[in-house]
Each structure stands twice: as structure tokens, then as C-alpha cells.
Amino acid sequence: AQSVTQPDIHITVSEGASLELRCNYSYGATPYLFWYVQSPGQGLQLLLKYFSGDTLVQGIKGFEAEFKRSQSSFNLRKPSVHWSDAAEYFCAVGLGQGGKLIFGQGTELSVKP
Amino acid sequence: NAGVTQTPKFRVLKTGQSMTLLCAQDMNHEYMYWYRQDPGMGLRLIHYSVGEGTTAKGEVPDGYNVSRLKKQNFLLGLESAAPSQTSVYFCASSYSTDTQYFGPGTRLTVL
């Protein structure tokens, strides 16, 4: 069955430090992969997506993610975290049919001064 | 261009009451979705629609019904609310299998 796992429920990083959020998926075909961010009390906003081509994708707010087929991973990275990046981050895999997404459990990011 | 809007933003129900959540999008998207978000469980798909007049079940459809009478609207109904349906509900829309755009959510409490 298709699934998405985000191993880290909560991560705390210092402002200015680098960040990597992990995402592993289980899907038989070539996946469509997404990272969304949710600020408190808000809906989800797309950070970046991978459909095909270059396995390193750039997104908004200085985020990037790398698709590694051999590891079934799509980890999100940012070289220098800002306090405004504190939010919950969701990885998702697109199933193709009907545009359905399967989401991971989410990783809550806290940023300390 | 308002994107995806949801009505209401908050609601408290008693067990057994019914209600309808309204989702509207002005992006002319064919596909629309209803999710529920619960702590530690991410977002789970309740029902979805790939076009006006069509609906399909998602991962957790029990206790919910939907209708898509107009392309821009997607309604989620709870016929007899239960405490287990206390959640935050998100609507989303997309053009085919591309990016989904999310509404701001509806926080529902069932007592």
C-alpha cells in the first residue's frame, strides 16, 4: 500500500542553522512528490514539487528538496533557517488517479533564537 | 481572486446534529477534495471529485456525504455528527494531478 513516513515528529533548530526534514515514501510507480507548509491556524501552502527531470528541486522561501529513487526519499532542506520558518511541514505523494495525495504525519519545526 | 474559501470557520455541534460545510473555488479547477486533519495523523482524504456531478470516496468516508452540483462548489455533509468527527476540515482544489490549493480550514467540535 502507498504510504508516506516523516520520521521526525518535532525538530528544534537554532536560527541561522541548516535544516533537513526527512520524508520516505512507498509507492510502486514513479511518484509525484510535494512538500507543503502549514503555519498555525492556516491552510497548507505548497513549498515545492517534483514530477520528473532534475532530482533537485527549488521551492519558495529558500527551500529545496532532493528526490532519491534508490532510497525512496524526498528530503527537504534549507541552508539557513529563519524564525518565520517555524511551522508544520508535510510531505505528500500524488497517486495520479483523481489527483489524490497521501500525506505524511507532519514534522513540527521550532526555531530558537 | 479569492482562491479556495470555506464556510464556516468554526462550528460546535451536539452529537446527532447535522451540518454542511461549504467549499468554493474561483480558479476553474476540475478537481476538489475534502480532508480532515487530526493531531499526529497528517491529512486524510474523506471524499473527492474530479468534475461537476461526480464524487468518489477517499480514505475515511464513513459518516460523511458530499455533493458537487456546481463546478466551483463542493459540499461536505455530516448527517448525524459524532464526537469522533471533531477535527479540522480542509478543502482543496486542483487542475488535474498538479498542485492542490487549500482553503483556510473549518474547526469542528462535536460535543
Side-chain angles (χ1 to χ4, degrees), chain A residues 10-92:
Chain A
H10 189 196
I11 285 182
T12 299
V13 300
S14 297
E15 191 167 16
S18 64
L19 171 70
E20 182 169 28
L21 301 183
R22 296 182 290 164
C23 173
N24 293 96
Y25 67 90
S26 172
Y27 186 58
T30 300
Y32 299 157
L33 295 163
F34 303 82
W35 274 101
Y36 282 88
V37 60
Q38 183 182 32
S39 298
Q42 304 294 316
L44 278 71
Q45 180 185 21
L46 180 73
L47 282 176
L48 47 79
K49 61 186 178 184
Y50 171 79
F51 280 13
S52 64
D54 192 347
T55 56
L56 183 63
V57 294
Q58 302 297 320
I60 63 171
K61 304 184 181 185
F63 285 92
E64 66 177 26
E66 186 172 13
F67 169 55
K68 294 185 176 180
R69 185 186 302 275
S70 61
Q71 299 177 17
S72 297
S73 69
F74 189 55
N75 294 349
L76 181 72
R77 301 192 294 249
K78 186 170 185 178
S80 177
V81 169
H82 188 262
W83 64 266
S84 61
D85 293 324
E88 189 155 20
Y89 292 79
F90 291 95
C91 180

Side-chain angles (χ1 to χ4, degrees), chain A residues 83-112:
Chain A
W83 64 266
S84 61
D85 293 324
E88 189 155 20
Y89 292 79
F90 291 95
C91 180
V93 61
L95 302 184
Q97 70 272 28
K100 293 184 291 183
L101 296 179
I102 292 181
F103 284 87
Q105 303 93 321
T107 297
E108 185 177 356
L109 173 66
S110 297
V111 180
K112 57 183 181 181

Side-chain angles (χ1 to χ4, degrees), chain B residues 3 14 23 54 59 99 111:
Chain B
K14 294 180 180 179
C23 175
T54 72
E59 182 184 359
T99 305
L111 302 176

